[in-house]
Each structure stands twice: as C-alpha cells, then as structure tokens.
mmCIF file of all heavy atoms in Angstrom:
data_model
loop_
_atom_site.group_PDB
_atom_site.id
_atom_site.type_symbol
_atom_site.label_atom_id
_atom_site.label_comp_id
_atom_site.label_asym_id
_atom_site.label_seq_id
_atom_site.Cartn_x
_atom_site.Cartn_y
_atom_site.Cartn_z
ATOM 1 N N THR A 915 103.203 116.849 103.479
ATOM 2 C CA THR A 915 103.477 115.444 103.801
ATOM 3 C C THR A 915 102.183 114.636 103.810
ATOM 4 O O THR A 915 102.122 113.530 103.268
ATOM 5 C CB THR A 915 104.184 115.338 105.175
ATOM 6 O OG1 THR A 915 105.410 116.071 105.121
ATOM 7 C CG2 THR A 915 104.464 113.897 105.546
ATOM 8 N N ILE A 916 101.121 115.199 104.411
ATOM 9 C CA ILE A 916 99.825 114.521 104.440
ATOM 10 C C ILE A 916 99.284 114.367 103.021
ATOM 11 O O ILE A 916 98.801 113.300 102.643
ATOM 12 C CB ILE A 916 98.831 115.282 105.338
ATOM 13 C CG1 ILE A 916 99.300 115.235 106.799
ATOM 14 C CG2 ILE A 916 97.414 114.707 105.202
ATOM 15 C CD1 ILE A 916 98.542 116.159 107.736
ATOM 16 N N ARG A 917 99.402 115.431 102.229
ATOM 17 C CA ARG A 917 98.955 115.360 100.824
ATOM 18 C C ARG A 917 99.682 114.236 100.090
ATOM 19 O O ARG A 917 99.066 113.443 99.373
ATOM 20 C CB ARG A 917 99.244 116.673 100.111
ATOM 21 C CG ARG A 917 98.335 117.807 100.455
ATOM 22 C CD ARG A 917 98.805 119.066 99.724
ATOM 23 N NE ARG A 917 97.990 120.212 99.999
ATOM 24 C CZ ARG A 917 98.463 121.448 100.149
ATOM 25 N NH1 ARG A 917 99.775 121.682 100.037
ATOM 26 N NH2 ARG A 917 97.655 122.450 100.394
ATOM 27 N N ASP A 918 100.996 114.191 100.246
ATOM 28 C CA ASP A 918 101.810 113.185 99.554
ATOM 29 C C ASP A 918 101.494 111.770 100.047
ATOM 30 O O ASP A 918 101.415 110.833 99.249
ATOM 31 C CB ASP A 918 103.303 113.465 99.746
ATOM 32 C CG ASP A 918 103.767 114.744 99.075
ATOM 33 O OD1 ASP A 918 103.024 115.288 98.226
ATOM 34 O OD2 ASP A 918 104.873 115.218 99.416
ATOM 35 N N GLU A 919 101.328 111.624 101.343
ATOM 36 C CA GLU A 919 101.124 110.303 101.948
ATOM 37 C C GLU A 919 99.719 109.748 101.673
ATOM 38 O O GLU A 919 99.558 108.561 101.425
ATOM 39 C CB GLU A 919 101.375 110.392 103.458
ATOM 40 C CG GLU A 919 101.434 109.072 104.167
ATOM 41 C CD GLU A 919 102.645 108.216 103.824
ATOM 42 O OE1 GLU A 919 103.663 108.722 103.309
ATOM 43 O OE2 GLU A 919 102.557 107.003 104.071
ATOM 44 N N LEU A 920 98.708 110.622 101.733
ATOM 45 C CA LEU A 920 97.321 110.155 101.628
ATOM 46 C C LEU A 920 96.652 110.486 100.299
ATOM 47 O O LEU A 920 95.599 109.939 99.986
ATOM 48 C CB LEU A 920 96.479 110.736 102.775
ATOM 49 C CG LEU A 920 96.922 110.383 104.190
ATOM 50 C CD1 LEU A 920 96.025 111.057 105.207
ATOM 51 C CD2 LEU A 920 96.950 108.866 104.399
ATOM 52 N N GLY A 921 97.217 111.427 99.551
ATOM 53 C CA GLY A 921 96.628 111.812 98.283
ATOM 54 C C GLY A 921 95.354 112.634 98.422
ATOM 55 O O GLY A 921 94.496 112.593 97.543
ATOM 56 N N ILE A 922 95.227 113.340 99.547
ATOM 57 C CA ILE A 922 94.047 114.193 99.756
ATOM 58 C C ILE A 922 94.496 115.594 100.150
ATOM 59 O O ILE A 922 95.630 115.798 100.584
ATOM 60 C CB ILE A 922 93.088 113.646 100.833
ATOM 61 C CG1 ILE A 922 93.790 113.472 102.190
ATOM 62 C CG2 ILE A 922 92.438 112.359 100.361
ATOM 63 C CD1 ILE A 922 92.868 113.103 103.342
ATOM 64 N N ASP A 923 93.580 116.533 100.001
ATOM 65 C CA ASP A 923 93.819 117.921 100.390
ATOM 66 C C ASP A 923 92.768 118.315 101.420
ATOM 67 O O ASP A 923 91.867 117.529 101.736
ATOM 68 C CB ASP A 923 93.754 118.825 99.152
ATOM 69 C CG ASP A 923 94.633 120.066 99.295
ATOM 70 O OD1 ASP A 923 94.959 120.450 100.439
ATOM 71 O OD2 ASP A 923 94.988 120.642 98.263
ATOM 72 N N ASP A 924 92.863 119.526 101.898
ATOM 73 C CA ASP A 924 91.932 120.050 102.885
ATOM 74 C C ASP A 924 90.490 119.831 102.431
ATOM 75 O O ASP A 924 90.130 120.154 101.300
ATOM 76 C CB ASP A 924 92.206 121.546 103.101
ATOM 77 C CG ASP A 924 91.353 122.144 104.193
ATOM 78 O OD1 ASP A 924 90.904 121.405 105.094
ATOM 79 O OD2 ASP A 924 91.138 123.365 104.167
ATOM 80 N N GLY A 925 89.681 119.245 103.311
ATOM 81 C CA GLY A 925 88.271 119.016 103.018
ATOM 82 C C GLY A 925 87.981 117.719 102.283
ATOM 83 O O GLY A 925 86.831 117.425 101.986
ATOM 84 N N GLU A 926 88.996 116.920 102.023
ATOM 85 C CA GLU A 926 88.810 115.689 101.256
ATOM 86 C C GLU A 926 88.956 114.449 102.141
ATOM 87 O O GLU A 926 89.506 114.512 103.239
ATOM 88 C CB GLU A 926 89.804 115.614 100.102
ATOM 89 C CG GLU A 926 89.622 116.718 99.076
ATOM 90 C CD GLU A 926 90.640 116.673 97.950
ATOM 91 O OE1 GLU A 926 91.668 115.971 98.046
ATOM 92 O OE2 GLU A 926 90.383 117.355 96.939
ATOM 93 N N THR A 927 88.476 113.329 101.609
ATOM 94 C CA THR A 927 88.542 112.035 102.288
ATOM 95 C C THR A 927 89.195 111.044 101.336
ATOM 96 O O THR A 927 88.930 111.070 100.134
ATOM 97 C CB THR A 927 87.120 111.553 102.671
ATOM 98 O OG1 THR A 927 86.541 112.516 103.563
ATOM 99 C CG2 THR A 927 87.144 110.202 103.359
ATOM 100 N N THR A 928 90.022 110.171 101.890
ATOM 101 C CA THR A 928 90.666 109.151 101.063
ATOM 102 C C THR A 928 89.619 108.234 100.457
ATOM 103 O O THR A 928 88.535 108.052 101.022
ATOM 104 C CB THR A 928 91.679 108.312 101.885
ATOM 105 O OG1 THR A 928 91.003 107.741 103.016
ATOM 106 C CG2 THR A 928 92.861 109.143 102.343
ATOM 107 N N GLU A 929 89.937 107.654 99.317
ATOM 108 C CA GLU A 929 88.987 106.784 98.604
ATOM 109 C C GLU A 929 88.531 105.614 99.454
ATOM 110 O O GLU A 929 87.392 105.154 99.332
ATOM 111 C CB GLU A 929 89.602 106.277 97.295
ATOM 112 C CG GLU A 929 89.636 107.337 96.225
ATOM 113 C CD GLU A 929 90.105 106.792 94.880
ATOM 114 O OE1 GLU A 929 89.953 105.569 94.642
ATOM 115 O OE2 GLU A 929 90.595 107.590 94.074
ATOM 116 N N ASP A 930 89.405 105.127 100.345
ATOM 117 C CA ASP A 930 89.032 103.989 101.194
ATOM 118 C C ASP A 930 88.196 104.416 102.400
ATOM 119 O O ASP A 930 87.778 103.581 103.205
ATOM 120 C CB ASP A 930 90.270 103.213 101.645
ATOM 121 C CG ASP A 930 91.242 104.048 102.481
ATOM 122 O OD1 ASP A 930 90.932 105.207 102.832
ATOM 123 O OD2 ASP A 930 92.339 103.530 102.785
ATOM 124 N N GLY A 931 87.950 105.720 102.537
ATOM 125 C CA GLY A 931 87.126 106.220 103.634
ATOM 126 C C GLY A 931 87.815 106.204 104.984
ATOM 127 O O GLY A 931 87.181 106.404 106.017
ATOM 128 N N LEU A 932 89.119 106.029 104.988
ATOM 129 C CA LEU A 932 89.844 105.915 106.250
ATOM 130 C C LEU A 932 90.220 107.276 106.840
ATOM 131 O O LEU A 932 90.087 107.492 108.043
ATOM 132 C CB LEU A 932 91.099 105.061 106.032
ATOM 133 C CG LEU A 932 91.709 104.405 107.255
ATOM 134 C CD1 LEU A 932 90.691 103.566 108.016
ATOM 135 C CD2 LEU A 932 92.887 103.529 106.843
ATOM 136 N N PHE A 933 90.682 108.204 105.991
ATOM 137 C CA PHE A 933 91.160 109.504 106.482
ATOM 138 C C PHE A 933 90.422 110.667 105.833
ATOM 139 O O PHE A 933 90.156 110.645 104.639
ATOM 140 C CB PHE A 933 92.652 109.682 106.163
ATOM 141 C CG PHE A 933 93.562 108.714 106.847
ATOM 142 C CD1 PHE A 933 93.993 107.572 106.196
ATOM 143 C CD2 PHE A 933 94.009 108.946 108.147
ATOM 144 C CE1 PHE A 933 94.847 106.671 106.814
ATOM 145 C CE2 PHE A 933 94.863 108.058 108.776
ATOM 146 C CZ PHE A 933 95.287 106.916 108.106
ATOM 147 N N SER A 934 90.135 111.682 106.647
ATOM 148 C CA SER A 934 89.654 112.976 106.153
ATOM 149 C C SER A 934 90.578 114.034 106.709
ATOM 150 O O SER A 934 91.077 113.912 107.834
ATOM 151 C CB SER A 934 88.223 113.260 106.622
ATOM 152 O OG SER A 934 87.311 112.388 106.027
ATOM 153 N N LEU A 935 90.801 115.087 105.929
ATOM 154 C CA LEU A 935 91.697 116.166 106.334
ATOM 155 C C LEU A 935 90.942 117.476 106.424
ATOM 156 O O LEU A 935 90.186 117.828 105.513
ATOM 157 C CB LEU A 935 92.841 116.307 105.328
ATOM 158 C CG LEU A 935 93.813 117.470 105.543
ATOM 159 C CD1 LEU A 935 94.522 117.362 106.895
ATOM 160 C CD2 LEU A 935 94.824 117.522 104.403
ATOM 161 N N LYS A 936 91.153 118.172 107.545
ATOM 162 C CA LYS A 936 90.563 119.493 107.724
ATOM 163 C C LYS A 936 91.633 120.402 108.330
ATOM 164 O O LYS A 936 92.158 120.122 109.399
ATOM 165 C CB LYS A 936 89.351 119.419 108.641
ATOM 166 C CG LYS A 936 88.678 120.764 108.842
ATOM 167 C CD LYS A 936 87.325 120.588 109.479
ATOM 168 C CE LYS A 936 86.580 121.875 109.622
ATOM 169 N NZ LYS A 936 86.095 122.439 108.392
ATOM 170 N N CYS A 937 91.954 121.457 107.612
ATOM 171 C CA CYS A 937 92.877 122.459 108.146
ATOM 172 C C CYS A 937 92.068 123.410 109.021
ATOM 173 O O CYS A 937 91.001 123.871 108.611
ATOM 174 C CB CYS A 937 93.565 123.215 107.016
ATOM 175 S SG CYS A 937 94.692 122.171 106.066
ATOM 176 N N VAL A 938 92.549 123.668 110.219
ATOM 177 C CA VAL A 938 91.818 124.510 111.172
ATOM 178 C C VAL A 938 92.677 125.697 111.590
ATOM 179 O O VAL A 938 93.902 125.653 111.520
ATOM 180 C CB VAL A 938 91.374 123.706 112.412
ATOM 181 C CG1 VAL A 938 90.397 122.599 112.012
ATOM 182 C CG2 VAL A 938 92.553 123.115 113.162
ATOM 183 N N ALA A 939 92.004 126.754 112.036
ATOM 184 C CA ALA A 939 92.697 127.995 112.390
ATOM 185 C C ALA A 939 93.593 127.829 113.607
ATOM 186 O O ALA A 939 94.690 128.361 113.638
ATOM 187 C CB ALA A 939 91.676 129.104 112.631
ATOM 188 N N CYS A 940 93.150 127.083 114.616
ATOM 189 C CA CYS A 940 93.966 126.916 115.821
ATOM 190 C C CYS A 940 93.427 125.771 116.655
ATOM 191 O O CYS A 940 92.215 125.652 116.834
ATOM 192 C CB CYS A 940 93.973 128.198 116.649
ATOM 193 S SG CYS A 940 95.068 128.112 118.084
ATOM 194 N N LEU A 941 94.314 124.947 117.165
ATOM 195 C CA LEU A 941 93.925 123.864 118.065
ATOM 196 C C LEU A 941 94.219 124.207 119.521
ATOM 197 O O LEU A 941 93.898 123.433 120.415
ATOM 198 C CB LEU A 941 94.644 122.562 117.680
ATOM 199 C CG LEU A 941 94.178 121.918 116.384
ATOM 200 C CD1 LEU A 941 95.081 120.740 116.016
ATOM 201 C CD2 LEU A 941 92.733 121.460 116.493
ATOM 202 N N GLY A 942 94.852 125.360 119.761
ATOM 203 C CA GLY A 942 95.140 125.777 121.129
ATOM 204 C C GLY A 942 96.274 125.003 121.776
ATOM 205 O O GLY A 942 96.351 124.907 122.995
#
C-alpha cells in the first residue's frame, strides 16, 4: 500500500522529499 501510494520502496525517499520508507525488524 505504501509502495502504491508513495511510489517508493524500502530505503527510498519520495521525489518531493516528504516521505522516506525504512522497513525494520521490530518496533516492539
């Protein structure tokens, strides 16, 4: 859903610099 909505994948940032995505092992 995030990929489709923002057009980015893990480790990437949107062209407008608004969002970055990082997949993490656990948030607890």
Side-chain angles (χ1 to χ4, degrees):
T915 300
I916 294 169
R917 285 177 180 142
D918 293 345
E919 190 69 19
L920 300 178
I922 58 173
D923 209 338
D924 185 25
E926 297 178 346
T927 299
T928 56
E929 285 186 25
D930 61 6
L932 202 54
F933 296 97
S934 292
L935 175 61
K936 181 167 184 71
C937 292
V938 297
C940 185
L941 289 173

